[in-house]
Amino acid sequence: MEGEDTVPTTTDATAFRISRTSTPLSPAEREKRMTAPGFGRVLTEHMVSGRWAKGQGWHDLRLSPYGPLEMDPATAALHYGQIVFEGLKAHRLHDGSVGVFRPHAHARRFQRSARRLVMPEMDTGMFVRSLEELVRADRAWVPDQTGHSLYLRPVLYAEEAVLALRPAYEYRFLLMAFVTEGFFNDDLNPVTVWVSTRFARAARGGTGDVKIPGNYAGAFAAQVEAAEHGCHQVVWLDSIERRWVEEMGGMNLFFVHGRGAGTRLTTPPLTGTLLPGVTRDALLTLLPEHGLPVEEVPLAIDDWQELCASGEITEVFACGTAAGVTPVGTVRSAETRWDVADGNAGPVTRRVAELLAAVRHGSLPERHGWMHRVT
Ligand SMILES: Cc1ncc(COP(=O)(O)O)c(C=O)c1O
């Protein structure tokens, strides 16, 4: 069966110019940089860029050596934040080839984000082609080490040098890549999370369900508050009743109910104020195929605490492209604090992490066309 991610996309006729670096790093230097890369620090040697202008459409798509940009101080994006981005990963597959996980789903979310900010949508074919060209050029940067991967960061911003308060007429697309070992760790060490009651991430009708920098800049204050209370991440509640659990800073949440044969999972529904994670979507499909039913059901923060106390909620984990699967061990807020079961990663979380890693690395066959091989 052809999965939704393999739906053919319109092909774009725009010429793609390729110019590779004339001073490639030595393999020894590259290896050195790839050891303990952290997150977001070790950029590769190439980038893709492209432009869009009103009346002209997409043009000037090219792969070139990675390097700084020259920017007009009046660049509209700097002033009014007309910027959208994505985050996806290329993995070294078990057979040594390289695959990008769900590029078409990320392309569609990139389009949705652009639409919300009245920006031009990039054709799915052009988006995927850009990823392919970059991964092909920087293939040597795709790590072999389990858990490490190449993170791909597309970004689109208003490039027109104008301070008029309106959607811009000119845009720039950039795609870069960095080597990553993930946000947290691959040992499934649980995180402590902070329930923010002082700040809100997203409002109804706002931009919480698209991937734009403002959502993240607005969340930093809560992240700092969380860190001051010894917490790794923020849990966001809905902004009206301040009661319904939505998501975490960069991940969606799953709750495990019960144990053994009766185990089932829930995740908050897409109310329009949380990001529809591509990993969340993959798990909604994948887990029932492996005997773990999942439902999209709202959960109130008080019920999270009560259901942990009664033993009904046995495990909680968060998932996302950058973080993979991360167990939640302890929950804290200004008023209270509780542990999820014994505070350690449970068997369902471990199983989900293994399943997801196996699908991402191509060692578990899936029939949804999620893995896009770059040849
Ligand atoms: C706010 C937020 N929620 C959830 C996610 C998880 O989304 P995905 O699985 O597509 O990485 C992300 C990561 O992009 C995010 O930034």
Side-chain angles (χ1 to χ4, degrees), residues 132-193:
E132 286 172 346
E133 294 296 352
L134 184 59
V135 171
R136 213 169 273 140
D138 285 332
R139 195 182 185 84
W141 289 86
V142 182
D144 289 329
Q145 211 172 322
T146 321
H148 291 208
S149 51
L150 190 69
Y151 185 97
L152 301 160
R153 166 53 58 84
V155 57
L156 177 67
Y157 65 90
E159 195 183 30
E160 189 183 359
V162 63
L163 299 185
L165 198 50
R166 58 154 171 79
Y169 298 154
E170 292 163 18
Y171 294 86
R172 182 89 186 262
F173 170 74
L174 298 172
L175 170 66
M176 62 212 82
F178 59 83
V179 180
T180 173
E181 51 191 299
F183 260 178
F184 297 112
N185 53 68
D186 300 316
D187 302 328
L188 292 181
N189 288 332
V191 292
T192 298
V193 296

Side-chain angles (χ1 to χ4, degrees), residues 96-115:
S97 61
V98 173
V100 179
F101 191 63
R102 306 201 65 184
H104 297 82
H106 285 277
R108 286 194 294 273
R109 191 168 68 188
F110 197 55
Q111 289 173 335
R112 231 171 27 77
S113 300
R115 211 177 306 142

Side-chain angles (χ1 to χ4, degrees), residues 106 109 201 211 216 247 249-252 275 277-279 320-321:
H106 285 277
R109 191 168 68 188
R201 177 181 173 276
K211 204 157 168 66
Y216 298 85
E247 61 175 329
M251 287 165 273
N252 292 111
L275 193 78
V278 174
T279 318
T321 298

Side-chain angles (χ1 to χ4, degrees), residues 194-200 221-222 225 228-229 236-237 242 334:
W194 175 253
V195 181
S196 181
T197 44
R198 188 164 155 224
F199 301 104
E225 191 187 47
E228 283 166 1
H229 290 86
W236 294 104
L237 302 179
R242 309 307 293 259

Side-chain angles (χ1 to χ4, degrees), residues 48 73 93 128 130 190 193-194 207 257 270 311 335 358 361:
V48 170
L93 305 185
V128 175
S130 303
V193 296
W194 175 253
T207 54
H257 301 248
L270 299 178
E335 293 90 35
H361 290 277

